[in-house]
Amino acid sequence: MYTAKGTLNRDDQLRQYTPLVRRLAHHMIAKLPPSVEIDDLIQVGMIGLTEAISRFEPSQGVQFETFASQRIRGAMIDELREGDWMSRGSRKSQKDIEKAVHTLQQKLHRAPKESEIAAELGLALTDYQQLLGKVRGTQLVYLEDISGHGDDEDSFLDRNMGETDAEPSAVLQDHRMRTALVAAIKLLPEREQQIMSMYYEHDMNLKEIAAVLGVTESRICQLHSQSIARLRTRLREH
């Protein structure tokens, strides 16, 4: 992997870590609206990988994959931030869905059905499903939601996709949140439990999940978004 001068062999590293770029892009695309193209994220991620190869120094005591992941993710986020990919309207719709879920859970003492959430929002079921597809499932846990210090004016990307410690995998390392999340997932409808398990535990993307469950990717996207709204509503209670 290293040249005679002790530096990383760029071509070998690019070949070896291209799958890492693709994996990070597929995970990120699940949190974004349909207007964002996976190929664009991969292209930007490759630029981040190239930069990581040129800047990596083994003496820093960090594994290359960890270092590269941060650079790749950072390049993708910078590109998304410049594109201002999520409008205030989409953010409001996301919060409206979560509010409706919370209201119904308090009223029904169970997970509300899709049709019930649509009715609470004053929408036809098909319109609600289209809204879920537009909003798309965003990050599972926002740390400021849990601490109670959220600010609606903060950048959505900074709050949801910026720092590594704001990612689901890092949050799950906290025992209290892990316990709360496990309990919340068990309260999801069975189909949504399956989707969340495949996505977060088995590292599958939405297209792969759709193939397993025999439905369209857009339908998985809708159910994933709805699951996120349910979980975020539950997790705020802890």
Side-chain angles (χ1 to χ4, degrees):
M1 285 297 172
Y2 293 87
T3 65
K5 295 182 179 180
T7 58
L8 289 171
N9 185 301
R10 179 176 177 276
D11 291 341
D12 286 347
Q13 291 293 90
L14 282 174
R15 281 193 295 271
Q16 180 176 348
Y17 289 100
T18 292
L20 173 64
V21 175
R22 297 186 65 85
R23 185 166 69 249
L24 290 172
H26 278 288
H27 273 216
M28 193 171 285
I29 201 75
K31 306 176 179 73
L32 301 171
S35 58
V36 180
E37 296 288 341
I38 186 69
D39 288 344
D40 291 341
L41 281 185
I42 291 172
Q43 183 177 13
V44 172
M46 290 301 295
I47 294 173
L49 174 59
T50 302
E51 181 182 325
I53 293 170
S54 65
R55 296 193 178 191
F56 179 69
E57 295 182 7
S59 61
Q60 293 175 338
V62 179
Q63 290 187 343
F64 177 73
E65 184 166 338
T66 301
F67 180 78
S69 294
Q70 293 173 342
R71 291 283 179 177
I72 293 164
R73 189 182 294 109
M76 292 176 182
I77 291 170
D78 286 345
E79 178 72 12
L80 293 167
R81 186 178 286 117
E82 288 178 7
D84 191 22
W85 57 271
M86 195 168 193
S87 67
R88 284 185 177 272
S90 293
R91 291 196 289 269
K92 181 180 182 303
S93 295
Q94 179 185 321
K95 292 183 178 181
D96 287 343
I97 292 170
E98 291 171 16
K99 182 180 178 181
V101 169
H102 176 71
T103 298
L104 289 168
Q105 283 178 174
Q106 295 298 309
K107 184 189 302 182
L108 303 171
H109 304 291
R110 61 168 171 78
K113 299 176 182 177
E114 226 174 347
S115 57
E116 292 170 334
I117 300 171
E120 180 69 21
L121 290 167
L123 297 173
L125 179 58
T126 53
D127 291 337
Y128 169 59
Q129 291 172 339
Q130 288 178 358
L131 183 63
L132 284 172
K134 290 177 181 178
V135 169
R136 217 156 164 154
T138 51
Q139 182 135 325
L140 182 57
V141 179
Y142 304 160
L143 295 183
E144 63 271 38
D145 285 344
I146 299 163
S147 63
H149 300 297
D151 182 354
D152 290 349
E153 296 306 313
D154 289 347
S155 164
F156 187 85
L157 279 167
D158 289 338
R159 290 194 291 111
N160 298 299
M161 303 177 69
E163 298 299 326
T164 302
D165 63 4
E167 293 181 354
S169 59
V171 174
L172 296 182
Q173 293 171 6
D174 179 86
H175 177 72
R176 181 173 64 89
M177 283 308 304
R178 182 170 59 249
T179 301
L181 179 58
V182 169
I185 288 177
K186 288 181 179 178
L187 295 173
L188 289 174
E190 183 177 355
R191 176 58 64 91
E192 292 179 32
Q193 285 189 45
Q194 289 179 299
I195 292 170
M196 299 307 281
S197 174
M198 285 187 275
Y199 185 76
Y200 288 105
E201 294 180 32
H202 300 288
D203 204 28
M204 296 170 66
N205 60 47
L206 300 187
K207 184 176 182 179
E208 292 168 335
I209 296 171
V212 170
L213 296 182
V215 297
T216 64
E217 186 176 352
S218 62
R219 181 57 180 155
I220 294 298
C221 176
Q222 293 168 3
L223 292 172
H224 180 262
S225 296
Q226 187 166 261
S227 300
I228 293 294
R230 294 186 199 274
L231 291 175
R232 281 175 38 75
T233 298
R234 294 281 185 186
L235 290 171
R236 283 204 190 97
E237 300 171 1
H238 293 269

